[in-house]
Amino acid sequence: MSTGRDGIGTIEDLHARASGATGLTDFGDDPYLDGLGVLLESYARDAALTPSGARAARAMLRGALTARLRCEEAWRRHPEHAAVPVERPIFVTGLPRTGTTALHRLLTADPANQGLELWLTDAPRPRPPREAWAGDPEYRAARAAYERHHVRHPEFMGVHYMSADMVEECWRLLQQSMRSVSFECLAHLPAYSDWLAAQDWTPAYERHRRILQLVGLGDPGRRWVLKNPSHLFALDAIMDVYPGALVVQTHRDPVTAMASMCSLAARATAGWSEAFTGAVIGRDQLGLWSRGLDRFRAARARHDPARFFDVHYEEFVRDPLGTAEAVYARFGLPLGDAARAAMARLHEESRSGEARPSHRYELSGFGLTPEEVEARL
């Protein structure tokens, strides 16, 4: 198949670039080519990318394929990963901009838990000891890249602060299967959106689980805490692949959440597209997340209520440590003094410095009204 004549490249081009960067050629045999083909066609037909947008999309797809190659090689070198348990992981999800990031990072401060550090989503392998990271070429490259991003886009850091060593969303793992709503959050891709809405997410989450087994090879006793708003679209697959999964759903005023999400999408993609701006962002994001929320509500009703806990944004902001304690109590998890102290330290650090939230936004700039958002969400 050869598609994608918009400057991103063809499937063959992207494969060649990923192989050239790694020296590897085995992309694995679980599904991804179908999604990549649809995605490239949608970019070419729908996205109206600028040259900088095409470069960004090309880099993102090449990165997903590069990570896919590295996973295949690491699985081959570490067959013992298949025996690593992933027991009762916690999935934090909800509409974007509803406190998922802050809650995720607070829960992973517990030494008994583990999250997925950003640099390991790009370079999957068994997590090295923390003291060895500074000497790791992959970690140093990732750290330098995000430091450059901080300098070039200081305003973005107040919207969603990222660094190579911090835990992050796991949508990059789903990108390896070319099944991720992250693509729709960064470009106008209606054809891909329609295709993805009809897909079974189970194979993507099976790969997701194998990557966690690989990264956590040296930490088999620590509980995984994962975060991604796009888990809203795939609850049944998550429960099938992770039979003991526990789910925390965050809630916030939908008008505020949607305005913030649209602003984030606009800032992240500024200059990338002649189509993905203003009201198109608003229409795309409202359609996407209302569909995800509807799917999650329907799927949640089919599963044991004891495996879910609801967190409201206002309550979390008022008492973050108390909210964390409530999560642990709901699921019958032990919360020791070390965990409490680590969470308290992280909370204090998050209130100052570069990681301090700073974000202004208005819904009207995206062609939406509060009444429309409330009706859909």
Side-chain angles (χ1 to χ4, degrees):
M1 183 185 296
S2 179
T3 59
R5 293 180 291 275
D6 58 352
I8 296 176
T10 64
I11 290 177
E12 292 81 5
D13 293 335
L14 292 167
H15 277 167
R17 288 174 181 268
S19 291
T22 61
L24 304 171
T25 59
D26 181 8
F27 289 91
D29 56 9
D30 56 300
Y32 78 99
L33 285 173
D34 53 352
L36 181 55
V38 173
L39 187 55
L40 289 176
E41 290 169 357
S42 192
Y43 273 125
R45 182 169 63 247
D46 305 323
L49 296 179
T50 64
S52 61
R55 286 194 297 273
R58 182 168 59 245
M60 181 166 55
L61 294 176
R62 185 178 65 241
L65 292 172
T66 298
R68 189 178 175 93
L69 286 169
R70 287 172 168 161
C71 279
E72 296 295 333
E73 174 65 11
W75 288 331
R76 184 188 65 79
R77 295 179 61 183
H78 300 280
E80 67 275 21
H81 81 277
V84 174
V86 182
E87 297 178 349
R88 301 189 78 202
I90 298 174
F91 287 81
V92 179
T93 193
L95 289 175
R97 318 304 293 169
T98 57
T100 54
T101 296
L103 179 58
H104 176 225
R105 291 174 178 170
L106 194 65
L107 296 178
T108 56
D110 182 349
N113 295 336
Q114 60 181 317
L116 191 63
E117 291 85 4
L118 183 53
W119 76 284
L120 290 171
T121 67
D122 294 327
R125 88 262 312 261
R127 183 189 292 111
R130 183 64 181 83
E131 59 271 17
W133 290 9
D136 188 294
E138 296 284 0
Y139 171 73
R140 284 159 47 183
R143 183 180 64 185
Y146 284 100
E147 288 174 349
R148 289 193 298 271
H149 186 269
H150 295 174
V151 172
R152 295 171 183 168
H153 306 283
E155 76 289 348
F156 191 81
M157 292 302 100
V159 181
H160 183 79
Y161 187 83
M162 298 184 297
S163 66
D165 62 344
M166 295 180 75
V167 295
E168 254 300 331
E169 296 179 345
C170 48
W171 54 260
R172 287 175 175 81
L173 307 191
L174 299 172
Q175 279 192 340
Q176 290 189 29
S177 299
M178 299 299 159
R179 285 155 170 80
S180 172
V181 302
S182 62
F183 298 118
E184 301 170 71
C185 293
L186 298 172
H188 179 56
L189 298 169
Y192 175 77
S193 298
D194 290 344
W195 175 84
L196 185 61
Q199 299 307 301
D200 176 9
W201 289 80
T202 304
Y205 276 91
E206 288 173 342
R207 187 176 186 90
H208 180 282
R209 188 178 193 277
R210 289 190 67 195
I211 297 172
L212 297 187
Q213 290 176 297
L214 174 69
V215 173
L217 186 61
D219 300 286
R222 297 169 66 198
R223 183 187 311 278
W224 278 100
V225 181
L226 304 151
K227 170 256 177 172
N228 191 344
S230 76
H231 294 319
L232 291 174
F233 296 80
L235 181 60
D236 286 334
I238 290 170
M239 293 304 202
D240 285 344
V241 175
Y242 296 96
L246 307 171
V247 180
V248 178
Q249 182 180 2
T250 55
H251 303 268
R252 189 183 188 184
D253 168 50
V255 174
T256 303
M258 186 51 53
S260 183
M261 175 60 213
C262 290
S263 176
L264 175 61
R267 291 179 186 232
T269 63
W272 287 6
S273 170
E274 296 174 2
F276 195 65
T277 61
V280 171
I281 290 178
R283 184 173 64 249
D284 284 359
Q285 297 310 299
L286 181 57
L288 173 66
W289 294 107
S290 62
R291 184 171 71 249
L293 193 58
D294 287 345
R295 290 188 63 163
F296 186 84
R297 286 170 175 155
R300 178 170 170 169
R302 295 191 288 268
H303 296 282
D304 182 359
R307 296 171 66 181
F308 297 85
F309 184 65
D310 295 287
V311 168
H312 295 271
Y313 181 84
E314 293 77 13
E315 295 175 6
F316 176 51
V317 171
R318 184 168 56 251
D319 186 7
L321 300 180
T323 299
E325 291 182 359
V327 171
Y328 278 65
R330 169 66 171 178
F331 297 136
L333 307 176
L335 181 61
D337 291 340
R340 294 176 191 272
M343 289 180 183
R345 284 194 301 272
L346 180 66
H347 175 57
E348 286 303 314
E349 291 168 1
S350 71
R351 300 169 67 183
S352 62
E354 290 182 313
R356 182 179 182 181
S358 176
H359 186 198
R360 295 182 179 181
Y361 43 83
E362 292 183 1
L363 189 66
S364 59
F366 301 99
L368 300 174
T369 65
E371 294 76 16
E372 183 180 9
V373 172
E374 289 174 351
R376 297 287 296 276
L377 297 176

